[in-house]
Amino acid sequence: SWYTGSASWYYRTGLEAILGFTKRGDTLTMNPCIPNAWDAFTIEYAYKSATYTVEVRNPAHVEHGVKSVTVDGSSVADGVIRLTDDSQHHSVVVEMG
């Protein structure tokens, strides 16, 4: 059903439980649980004045598990993406594996 109250829960379930997009305060984590047939997907996210393009790649065709996270070409050891209000465009690459 797409009644007003349930639509937001469907959206949140898809975004968080399937695509793994979880925002808490000024941080973002990605922990997708997707069909192994998916090669990749992309999310465009606006955070205040900044824009984040999050590309999730699945070269090993796994259903869950994150192998690496990079933000603007720099590796993020703990996998936590720190969001900044800097009017810039940021590129995030999440590789599953």
Side-chain angles (χ1 to χ4, degrees):
S1 170
W2 286 101
Y3 294 113
T4 304
S6 64
S8 63
W9 284 107
Y10 282 120
Y11 178 79
R12 186 170 178 180
T13 298
L15 195 61
E16 291 184 3
I18 299 170
L19 300 182
F21 183 99
T22 305
K23 182 187 171 293
R24 299 286 184 258
D26 62 352
T27 64
L28 172 66
T29 56
M30 295 294 299
N31 189 20
C33 185
I34 59 173
N36 60 5
W38 288 16
D39 293 321
F41 66 87
T42 303
I43 297 173
E44 290 285 329
Y45 178 65
Y47 175 75
K48 298 182 181 180
S49 67
T51 304
Y52 288 80
T53 300
V54 181
E55 180 184 3
V56 177
R57 300 176 184 166
N58 190 12
H61 293 277
V62 297
E63 293 179 350
H64 55 83
V66 173
K67 182 178 176 181
S68 66
V69 177
T70 60
V71 178
D72 297 330
S74 298
S75 180
V76 179
D78 61 2
V80 177
I81 302 155
R82 275 119 187 121
L83 302 170
T84 57
D85 181 13
D86 62 0
S87 302
Q88 300 294 311
H89 179 269
H90 300 280
S91 175
V92 177
V93 176
V94 177
E95 185 171 329
M96 294 179 68

